[in-house]
Amino acid sequence: MARLTPIDTAYFKGERADDFAVIGSAVPRSDARAHVTGRTVFFEDMTLPEMTHVKIHRSTRHHALINRVDVSGALGVPGVLRVITHQDVPNNWYTVLRLIGVGPDDEPVLAEDRVLYRGEPIVAVVAETEDAAREGAARVTVDYTDLPAVLDVEEALADGAPIIKQAGTNHFVYEGHHCRRIRFGDVERGFAEADRIIEGRYSSSPIEHAPTEPTGCIVVPQGDGRLRIHTNTQAAFFTLDNTALILGVPPTSLRVVGGTVGGGFGGKVDVIVEPLACIAAMLTGRPAKYVYSRAEEMQVSSPRAAERISIKDGVMDDGRIVARKITLYVDAGAYSRHSPYGTTKAAAHMPGPYTIPNVHVDAYCVYTNRTPSSAMRGFGVTIGDFALESHMDRIARELNMDPLRLRLKNAYRDGDMKAHRKIASGTALVEVIQSAAGLVGHDLPPEYRAMSSTERSEG
């Protein structure tokens, strides 16, 4: 039985703990000893009798029609048991966020008549050994007709760009709109009234999670007809429900067994390996293992989306920001995955923790012929913060103003109306900046040290 700390005891007694035993102390992780002694169990530690192995033949093109797929070479490899095509997938089209009402289903489990990114899975090879599965996948041949590829978000939205999505646009449609939008005040009037206009453009590249343990799972058929899925997913119920929908079976016919995730960071919330491993297990009646190689983890697992953000500010000479216009592009890659949600988060985070009377934001979720992007640690917010705070520093330099004073002057306070028409409450940015300044010996004038998040004063 776990022992209660003084904090726990005080909490249950309704008391305040004066002697904090955890906060401010070095506390060992509960799983640290198992990790450093090699006793932590990962899904790949399982070795099952008659376990099969799944490997994928992937697209070598960014954008192409599939004219013909020849699997005879794979079937001729000793040890190859089955080749799975899109015809073997009961419900081949899906998107992981359909569980929360985000659609349409825009991604095939296995490609049908075309591929939209290099590395897209076309067929899965099931074999007695990993080597045989890998050799079988290598012997599949595909005849393509290449199509124009779109690899840049702004080019994807330009007039005349090749349309790569079946929905007919290269952007996600938000309730009939081409992007997530914020409209607050009159931004053009704000620009006209400002003493100066300061603009900046900021961008990021895709960022791979690079977990120590690659994405994978083992599926074991059970005597009662159910499938037991041992997986390193970060989202067990996303995996359960999406896999059931793809297989066309009730969720009760599957059992997802999670466990230690050997590095995730958001990269293991997509449902990619489990459906195909389940189909392999169903077709052979044997356990099936599907795990990415290191090359696959780096090339085809979902990275953090690349973003491009333009910021135009109307600024007064005393540092007040009176208008902010932001155009933001999120590169979803070829399919939606979590990017429509990430773009919504990005829009919700604008225009930053500042009270600005005139705000205009267009946040686009854009499809390109790149590897689909997805979740990664604060996705939708992290790159936006980089852009916003880099721009605040740009303003400070142009005004020859202390960057902390600039932020204090514009920081939102309790009771301020945000650009999303929500009243700010529980704000603490002013106090955080003041404390940080004190910790690093950054001197603030008395009027800035006297500022508070609960009331607005001139600085």
Side-chain angles (χ1 to χ4, degrees), residues 31 57-58 82 88 92 104 115 120 133 146 180 212 219 238 275 298 300 305 309 312 314 337 348 388 392 422 428 442:
D31 55 1
H57 182 86
R58 300 182 179 278
R82 293 291 298 259
D88 298 303
N92 193 46
V115 291
E120 182 163 0
D146 287 322
R180 274 286 184 224
T212 303
V219 177
F238 253 43
M298 297 300 292
V300 300
I309 304 171
K312 178 180 179 181
R337 299 194 184 172
L388 289 167
M392 293 297 284
K422 300 291 184 182
H442 186 102

Side-chain angles (χ1 to χ4, degrees), residues 180-232:
R180 274 286 184 224
R181 306 177 306 159
I182 301 171
R183 303 291 187 266
F184 185 69
D186 185 337
V187 75
E188 294 303 327
R189 185 181 65 188
F191 289 147
E193 294 173 351
D195 291 325
R196 61 183 75 196
I197 302 297
I198 301 176
E199 299 184 67
R201 184 175 170 93
Y202 310 89
S203 62
S204 66
S205 298
I207 301 174
E208 166 57 34
H209 308 78
T212 303
E213 174 202 41
T215 302
C217 70
I218 295 173
V219 177
V220 187
Q222 303 297 286
D224 60 2
R226 300 173 74 200
L227 297 175
R228 189 175 75 237
I229 305 169
H230 296 266
T231 173
N232 58 12

Side-chain angles (χ1 to χ4, degrees), residues 98-99 235-247 249 251-252 254 256 271:
R98 61 183 166 179
L99 301 181
F237 288 97
F238 253 43
T239 295
L240 173 67
D241 292 340
N242 272 299
T243 302
L245 289 169
I246 290 168
L247 299 181
V249 301
T252 52
L254 307 176
V256 173
V271 185

Side-chain angles (χ1 to χ4, degrees), residues 17 139 144 150 237 243 318-319 359 366 378 424 441:
R139 293 197 184 186
Y144 299 99
V150 182
F237 288 97
T243 302
D318 64 1
V359 176
V366 186

